[in-house]
């Protein structure tokens, strides 16, 4: 059978799956919606007949060239045998029920049955099948993280995975397979109850040794393999197939003996496979003799217990047949929770009586006896024990007295692995600061981290509970936090930094870890956590006897309360923030510490002068006083020599200058801030948070000063940040505005699905940048005379931003552009009727120059009696802004009836990177120039026909 061809877009998605990117990261790379990526992933799963996205990532060649068709499917390592009745019944149950749990003892074959059923039922789930193995999950709180990884859902700033997953999966009709739930049942049960309640199209097939105790759960007991039919039974067929795979197949004359042997093994799939693996060396007589003694000793008791005992009997028997060195190796490698390399096994298990150099050979022998499975990977061959065998090895390890020593070696290996990963990520720029072309250290680094992350977590969980390993646990928590941050696992990064603080030997180290955690919380847009963590760092610094550090931390908490007030669930009261500021002043009194003085100055600019325009800020601050306070903070931050502190102070200055109505000064401060962070090149969480914020401010202020090419460059950098991959609305907001104002309709229409998809997936948030972005898209649809799309996007703009901002600020600008385009200057004049001073709060900063210049043009084209005065005032105001100056000059040329001067503005628009206004100038010039203008609009993706004023509304 030939494999269906895959499209070039599906090939691109497959390539990026090979880089271990989430669906949102793939969407960001390809500038398509997350929903479109999900559709392509589902299609690939069906076409390539693979169970989950992890299997897809393994099929990816890692290249970028599109492929017209997929390579032939590889044959499974072992075929699935029997269970036709169970497959049909379980598939029917999964399709009909929301949650079905396949239950049974270890080794009965639950996982293989679940995978076979998932493949069989895949056609009933148009959004695909996802598989999550919970064996590596040692913390019940990380169940959501495991499911997110399986479904391609990443973290989103400002939200927890418990909130993100239900929203992301709410409209999917998909099947989620959760394997090995028993060890984290207390985490799985409440998680599934929340998830399935919120996701009506989602079905779950779980495997567990015991039911999950969820109210709507349907339990499917997995029976042993049938022994009915003698040598043709399911149990005997499995034995015969596996025996033939390792050597000579039993003769038909021996089938009765095979049937009897399978009966003794209670039809347990794992027991049969292990016995069959010995067939080629022991023969039927040897197997019967060896197993009969074991089973006779363990006979008796309830039938269910007997089934458990039959697997243990075979494991005991297989174990006893091993050489002493191989027994030691089997029990020692049980500390690994995910597939491991021979080198890792040698480091952890390679001590007396084992020679480290002989470990690789021992792994091969264990694999030959089916006690380990072999998995090829990009990082080399890896070995893995089935969970039942791993647990058996762990029990053997505990009984030898070696447990502490082997765990300690595993901890040491984990420390080395985490340190190497953290160092490589830092060297490669492996953080959300890194370029989109190689996010977080690149695909190879992500593969390395993903291969060992669960072992690092398991080692940390073990060490954290032992006082003698507290120092090592602290080191591992710090390293794992850095790696998780580089992998864009921000929730875990914050969790590990806080864990490192709890494990720290002294308060100074604890304070340092809490500051890092606060930086990550900032990247997550969690103002409450930033505030809490900075305060906790201040308390730790105070206990450590470091008043200067305490002053910095407490001042930082006060600043956060105002600077990031829109990211709080509970905004601190003004009195509370002032009390913190007073505490910080008291701690710094002993001081003379430059960093503490800089932090205090910034807090005063934020809390006292309200430089950031906080939600709880006072409305009566003097603009001059605010600018002065911010300038003092900048000066003191410069003396302190801290790039992050300087960036924060420059942000205060940029905000203060915007309130003072000086867009050029605001833009210069934002640009200075960005250049400072680019030169510093730090990858710490606080620096990352500053850089992302600085990119947004640089793009926004460049729009305000008419520097559209620079605004677009910074908007593109922002859109490519891995940190923002899961919040494509925030990532693309300023890029959409820059492209819309320039008139690049095709680019806007290509980017807008990512914006809208992310905005809807992330809870339809409001933000000062989201409203303008949606209104910008509405403007482009208005220019194209697509009334339906414009209406829909205007509704989005109303919900995504502030109503007054839309009415008086960006909305007035974008609406005026559409109205003027469609020849309705009177309506544009009405839209900009208020004097700029009357609506200064909304037109200052980004929109002031655009508002004034468009207001002047509307007055000229509508024949308003104050057209000349408005045009003169606009020309004075916008001097230095290339686009707004060209707009005002065009208004003057139209007013004066000067065709040469009018045409000169077309060149000015082109030079300023605003091709739309250049084309519109040619249309206004008329005559032979109008055809050139129409052609230019066509090239931009805009319709050239003027359909009348109605098209603008």
């Amino acid at each position: 059978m030939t494999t269906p061809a895959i499209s070039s877009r599906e090939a691109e998605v497959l390539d990026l799956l090979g880089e271990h990117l989430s669906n949102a990261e793939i969407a960001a790379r390809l500038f398509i919606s997350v929903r479109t990526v999900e559709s392509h992933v589902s299609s690939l799963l069906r076409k390539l007949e693979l169970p989950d996205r992890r299997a897809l990532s393994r099929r990816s060649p890692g290249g970028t060239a599109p492929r017209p068709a997929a390579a032939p499917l590889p044959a499974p390592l072992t075929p699935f045998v029997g269970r036709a009745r169970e497959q049909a019944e379980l598939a029917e149950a999964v399709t009909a029920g929301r949650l079905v749990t396949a239950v049974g003892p270890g080794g009965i074959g639950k996982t293989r049955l679940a995978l076979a059923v998932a493949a069989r039922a895949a056609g009933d789930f148009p959004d695909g099948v996802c598989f999550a193995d919970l064996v590596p999950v040692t913390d019940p709180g990380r169940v959501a993280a495991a499911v997110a990884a399986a479904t391609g859902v990443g973290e989103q700033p400002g939200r927890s995975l418990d909130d993100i997953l239900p929203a992301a999966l709410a409209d999917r009709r998909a099947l989620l397979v959760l394997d090995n739930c028993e060890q984290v049942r207390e985490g799985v049960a409440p998680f599934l109850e929340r998830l399935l309640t919120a996701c009506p199209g989602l079905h779950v097939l779980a495997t567990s040794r015991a039911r999950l105790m969820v109210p709507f759960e349907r339990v499917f007991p997995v029976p042993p393999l049938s022994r009915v039919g003698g040598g043709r039974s399911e149990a005997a067929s499995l034995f015969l197939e596996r025996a033939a795979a390792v050597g000579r197949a039993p003769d038909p004359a021996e089938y009765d003996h095979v049937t009897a042997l399978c009966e003794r093994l209670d039809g347990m799939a794992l027991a049969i496979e292990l016995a069959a693996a010995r067939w080629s060396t022991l023969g039927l007589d040897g197997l019967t003799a060896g197993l009969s003694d074991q089973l006779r000793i363990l006979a008796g008791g309830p039938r269910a217990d007997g089934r458990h005992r039959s697997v243990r009997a075979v494991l005991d028997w297989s174990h006893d047949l091993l050489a002493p060195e191989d027994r030691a190796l089997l029990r020692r490698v049980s500390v690994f929770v995910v597939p491991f390399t021979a080198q890792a096994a040698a480091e952890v298990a390679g001590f007396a009586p084992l020679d480290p150099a002989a470990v690789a050979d021992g792994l091969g022998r264990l694999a030959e006896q089916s006690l380990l499975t072999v998995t090829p990977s990009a990082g080399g061959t890896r070995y893995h024990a089935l969970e039942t065998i791993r647990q058996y090895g762990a029990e053997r390890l505990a009984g030898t007295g070696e447990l502490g020593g082997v765990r300690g070696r595993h901890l040491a290996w984990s420390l080395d692995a985490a340190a190497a990963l953290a160092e490589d990520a830092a060297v490669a720029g492996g953080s959300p600061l890194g370029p989109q072309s190689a996010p977080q250290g690149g695909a190879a680094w992500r593969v390395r981290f993903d291969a060992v992350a669960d072992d690092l977590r398991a080692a940390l969980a073990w060490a954290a509970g032992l006082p003698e390993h507290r120092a090592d646990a602290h080191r591992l928590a710090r390293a794992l936090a850095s790696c998780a941050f580089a992998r864009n696992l921000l929730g875990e990064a914050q969790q590990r930094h806080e864990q490192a603080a709890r494990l720290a030997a002294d308060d100074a180290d604890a304070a340092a870890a809490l500051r890092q955690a606060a930086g990550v919380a900032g990247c997550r847009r969690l103002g409450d956590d930033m505030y809490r963590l900075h305060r906790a760092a201040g308390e730790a610094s105070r206990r450590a006897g470091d008043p200067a550090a305490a002053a910095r931390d407490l001042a930082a908490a006060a600043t956060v309360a105002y600077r990031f007030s829109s990211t709080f669930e509970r905004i601190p009261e003004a009195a509370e923030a002032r009390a913190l500021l007073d505490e910080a002043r008291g701690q710094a009194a002993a001081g003379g510490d430059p960093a503490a003085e800089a932090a205090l100055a910034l807090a005063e600019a934020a809390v006292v002068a309200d430089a950031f325009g906080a939600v709880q800020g006072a409305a009566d601050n003097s603009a001059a006083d605010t600018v002065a306070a911010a300038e003092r903070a900048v000066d003191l931050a410069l003396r302190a020599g801290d790039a992050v502190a300087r960036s924060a102070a420059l942000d205060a200055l940029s905000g203060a200058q915007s309130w003072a109505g000086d867009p050029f000064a605001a833009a210069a401060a934002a640009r200075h801030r960005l250049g400072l962070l680019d030169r510093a090149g730090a990858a710490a969480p606080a620096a990352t948070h500053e850089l992302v914020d600085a990119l947004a401010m640089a793009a926004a202020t460049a729009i305000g000063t008419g520097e559209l090419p620079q605004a677009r460059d910074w908007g593109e950098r922002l859109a490519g940040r891995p940190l923002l991959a899961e919040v494509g609305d925030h990532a693309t907001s300023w890029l959409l505005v820059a492209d819309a104002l320039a008139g690049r309709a095709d680019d806007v229409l290509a980017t807008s699905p990512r914006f809208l998809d992310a905005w809807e997936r992330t809870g339809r948030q409001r933000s000062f940048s989201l409203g303008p972005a949606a209104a910008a898209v509405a403007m482009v649809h208005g220019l194209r005379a697509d009334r339906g799309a414009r209406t829909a996007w205007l509704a989005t703009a109303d919900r995504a931003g502030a109503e007054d901002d839309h009415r008086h600020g960006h909305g007035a600008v974008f609406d005026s552009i559409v109205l003027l385009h469609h020849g309705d200057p009177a309506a544009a004049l009405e839209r900009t009727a208020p004097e700029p001073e009357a609506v200064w709060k909304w037109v200052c900063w980004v929109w002031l120059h655009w508002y004034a210049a468009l207001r002047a043009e509307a007055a000229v084209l509508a024949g308003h009696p104050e057209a000349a005065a408005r045009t003169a005032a606009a020309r004075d105001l916008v001097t230095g802004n290339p686009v707004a100056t060209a707009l005002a000059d065009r208004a003057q040329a139209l007013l004066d009836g000067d065709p040469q001067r009018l045409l000169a503005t077309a060149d000015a628009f082109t030079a300023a990177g605003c091709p739309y206004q250049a084309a519109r100038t040619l249309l206004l010039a008329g005559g032979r120039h109008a055809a050139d203008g129409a052609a230019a609009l066509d090239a931009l993706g805009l319709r050239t026909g003027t359909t009348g004023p109605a098209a603008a509304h």
Side-chain angles (χ1 to χ4, degrees):
M1 184 176 104
T2 58
T3 302
I6 63 175
S7 68
S8 59
R9 178 63 87 185
E10 287 171 341
E12 291 177 314
V13 171
L14 184 61
D15 284 332
L16 296 176
L17 284 168
E19 295 186 25
H20 288 221
L21 300 181
S22 70
N23 288 343
E25 289 170 324
I26 294 172
R29 189 81 68 89
L30 299 179
F31 276 87
I32 57 180
S33 73
V34 174
R35 187 65 177 167
T36 301
V37 175
E38 292 170 354
S39 176
H40 287 315
V41 170
S42 296
S43 175
L44 286 166
L45 288 169
R46 288 193 298 272
K47 290 181 177 180
L48 301 183
E49 299 181 21
L50 295 173
D52 54 47
R53 64 186 291 113
R54 289 174 178 149
L56 281 176
S57 70
R58 291 193 292 270
R59 288 293 302 276
S60 169
T64 57
R67 294 168 303 286
L73 290 172
L77 292 177
T78 57
F80 185 75
V81 177
R83 295 200 183 277
R85 180 182 59 81
E86 289 92 337
Q87 284 191 68
E89 292 179 356
L90 185 53
E92 182 181 357
V94 165
T95 304
R98 299 292 311 287
L99 170 61
V100 180
T101 305
V103 300
I108 204 165
K110 299 185 296 294
T111 298
R112 289 296 300 268
L113 176 61
L115 289 176
V117 167
R120 177 172 178 160
D124 296 322
F125 298 96
D127 292 316
V129 177
C130 299
F131 177 80
D133 185 3
L134 299 185
V135 166
V137 180
T138 55
D139 178 358
R142 290 197 56 78
V143 171
V147 173
T151 54
V153 175
E155 295 189 22
Q156 297 168 7
R159 307 177 78 198
S160 70
L161 281 174
D162 283 336
D163 295 328
I164 296 165
L165 272 169
L169 305 179
D171 59 350
R172 292 196 202 178
R173 178 160 175 77
L175 175 62
L176 171 63
V177 181
L178 281 184
D179 198 25
N180 293 296
C181 296
E182 60 275 350
Q183 63 180 14
V184 284
R185 265 201 313 168
E186 64 271 34
V188 172
F191 168 77
L192 285 182
E193 191 164 358
R194 291 192 304 269
L195 185 67
L196 290 174
T197 299
C199 305
L202 186 66
H203 291 228
V204 175
L205 171 56
T207 74
S208 177
R209 298 190 183 190
R211 62 170 298 182
L212 302 178
M213 305 301 290
V214 178
F216 38 83
E217 174 185 22
R218 176 174 175 178
V219 176
F220 185 92
V222 178
L225 288 168
S226 171
R227 279 88 73 202
V228 176
R232 299 180 183 277
S233 69
E234 291 180 342
S237 296
L238 178 62
F239 184 96
L240 294 172
E241 196 281 329
R242 300 299 192 258
V246 297
R248 178 183 64 83
D251 295 327
E254 298 174 300
Y255 284 5
D256 287 344
H257 296 290
V258 169
T259 302
L261 183 64
C262 292
E263 185 65 43
R264 287 195 180 99
L265 297 176
D266 289 318
M268 298 292 284
L270 177 58
I272 292 171
E273 296 210 27
L274 291 173
R278 292 284 185 175
W279 162 258
S280 62
T281 55
L282 295 180
L284 191 57
D285 292 343
L287 287 174
T288 303
L291 288 172
S292 293
D293 288 342
Q294 290 284 339
L295 294 173
R296 189 162 50 248
I297 293 171
L298 295 170
R303 183 65 175 169
D305 289 344
R307 290 175 186 164
H308 283 286
R309 288 170 178 172
S310 65
V311 173
R312 180 173 294 279
V314 176
L315 288 171
D316 285 338
W317 168 75
S318 296
H319 175 270
D320 292 344
L321 290 175
L322 296 174
E325 294 82 1
D326 291 347
R327 295 179 197 172
L329 181 58
L330 179 65
R331 64 178 180 263
R332 291 173 184 177
V333 297
S334 68
V335 297
F336 290 101
V337 297
V338 289
F340 54 88
T341 64
Q343 180 181 352
E347 292 182 32
V348 173
F351 61 96
L354 284 177
D355 180 354
V359 166
D361 287 340
L363 294 172
R365 289 190 295 273
L366 293 175
E368 290 170 1
Q369 305 305 325
S370 296
L371 292 167
L372 292 179
T373 58
V374 182
T375 305
S377 72
T381 301
R382 292 182 175 272
Y383 299 86
H384 186 221
L386 294 176
E387 179 59 10
T388 300
I389 297 175
R390 193 186 72 82
Q391 291 179 5
Y392 176 85
E395 290 178 8
R396 284 281 183 173
L397 183 63
T400 62
E402 292 181 339
L403 180 60
V406 176
R407 284 284 191 189
R409 293 173 72 92
H410 182 252
L411 174 60
W413 171 83
S414 297
L415 281 165
D416 290 343
L421 283 165
E423 181 179 356
D424 289 348
V427 169
S431 78
L433 288 168
Q436 176 65 25
S437 59
Q440 291 109 328
W445 185 90
R446 290 194 298 275
V447 170
R448 286 173 54 207
F449 173 79
D450 291 348
V452 300
D454 283 318
D455 267 310
L456 305 186
R457 294 168 182 136
L460 177 56
W462 174 76
L466 299 173
E468 64 270 27
H469 288 293
R470 186 183 182 94
D472 285 337
H474 171 71
R475 288 171 52 212
L476 183 53
R478 288 175 52 197
L480 186 52
S482 297
C483 290
F485 185 74
R487 188 64 177 90
N488 215 15
L489 301 174
L490 303 189
E492 182 174 10
Q494 181 179 331
Q495 173 194 355
R496 300 305 177 191
H497 279 306
E498 293 194 53
Q499 186 177 20
R502 293 192 298 271
L503 293 167
D506 58 65
D507 288 318
D509 285 344
L514 289 165
R515 289 183 204 110
Q516 293 282 71
V520 180
C523 295
R524 300 177 69 199
R525 300 178 70 244
L526 297 177
D528 302 80
D529 279 4
M530 287 186 76
Y531 183 70
R532 168 181 63 81
L533 290 163
H534 277 303
R535 293 190 68 173
E539 292 302 318
S541 295
R542 187 151 38 196
R543 291 194 303 270
D546 189 347
R552 294 196 304 271
D553 294 324
L554 294 172
T559 299
V560 163
Y562 273 68
R563 185 184 179 193
F564 301 112
S565 58
S566 63
T567 67
F568 278 75
E569 290 188 9
R570 185 198 73 82
I571 300 174
E573 297 288 342
E576 183 179 331
R578 287 178 179 270
L580 271 180
L581 182 55
D582 288 340
E583 282 187 63
R585 287 171 177 147
Q587 289 293 314
D593 179 76
E597 292 176 358
L600 281 170
L602 179 61
E604 288 164 353
V607 177
V608 179
D610 192 23
F612 298 105
V615 174
Q616 73 273 40
D620 56 354
N621 288 327
S622 160
D625 290 343
T626 304
V627 170
E631 286 176 337
R632 178 172 178 270
V634 171
D635 289 341
L636 289 173
L638 178 61
R639 295 181 201 175
D642 183 336
V644 172
R646 288 178 65 190
S647 170
L650 285 166
D651 190 30
L653 180 60
S654 181
Q657 288 164 333
S658 76
W659 290 119
D662 191 345
F664 296 110
R671 189 177 295 113
H672 185 185
R673 180 186 175 201
L674 185 57
L676 175 70
L677 292 167
D678 279 340
R679 288 191 299 274
T688 301
H689 183 210
E690 285 293 330
L691 179 61
V692 170
D693 189 68
L695 281 169
M697 293 303 101
T701 54
I703 287 168
T705 55
E707 298 168 284
L708 294 183
Q710 284 189 306
R712 188 176 201 280
D713 287 345
W714 288 323
E716 279 193 308
R717 284 185 62 187
L718 188 69
R721 291 303 89 196
L723 183 69
L724 300 179
E726 304 290 339
V727 282
D729 47 352
H730 288 279
T732 60
S733 56
W734 293 113
L735 177 62
L736 284 168
V737 172
D739 278 344
L741 289 172
R744 295 187 179 87
D746 290 340
D747 290 334
V748 170
L749 297 180
T751 305
S752 59
R754 181 184 171 196
F755 174 93
L756 185 60
D757 179 69
W759 181 71
E760 290 177 340
R761 284 190 308 110
T762 55
R764 299 186 175 188
Q765 297 176 336
R766 287 185 182 271
S767 167
F768 81 97
S769 64
L770 299 183
V777 180
M779 182 196 82
V780 167
H781 285 295
L783 296 178
R784 290 165 54 89
D786 188 339
R787 294 184 63 184
R790 173 169 169 77
T791 299
W793 276 96
L794 285 174
T796 298
D798 286 340
R799 295 194 299 270
E803 181 181 350
D804 285 340
D805 190 16
H806 184 75
R807 179 183 298 119
H808 300 300
H810 65 263
V813 168
F814 292 135
D815 287 352
S816 294
I817 291 173
V818 174
L819 292 164
L820 291 170
H821 178 86
H822 290 291
D824 194 354
L829 188 64
E830 182 179 353
R831 194 71 178 83
T832 56
E835 296 286 341
E837 295 80 6
V839 290
W840 69 271
K841 185 175 181 180
W842 297 278
V843 301
C844 72
W845 184 38
V846 172
W847 312 113
L848 175 61
H849 289 178
W850 292 89
Y851 184 93
L854 289 166
R855 187 170 184 266
E857 181 170 308
V860 170
L861 292 174
H864 192 278
E866 296 182 7
R870 290 186 180 185
T871 300
R875 295 181 72 190
D876 287 342
L877 177 66
V878 304
T879 300
N881 180 321
V883 178
T885 295
L887 283 169
D889 286 348
R890 186 171 70 189
Q892 188 69 54
L894 290 168
L895 183 66
D896 297 340
D898 186 340
Q900 294 303 316
R901 189 172 183 181
L902 178 64
L903 289 172
T905 64
D907 295 333
F909 283 123
T910 299
C914 191
Y916 164 70
Q917 292 295 350
R920 177 166 154 70
T921 299
L922 296 177
L923 289 177
L924 289 170
R928 61 187 177 85
H929 301 292
D932 293 337
L937 289 178
D938 280 339
L940 291 170
L942 298 170
R943 296 180 180 177
T944 58
T946 299
T947 57
H953 298 282

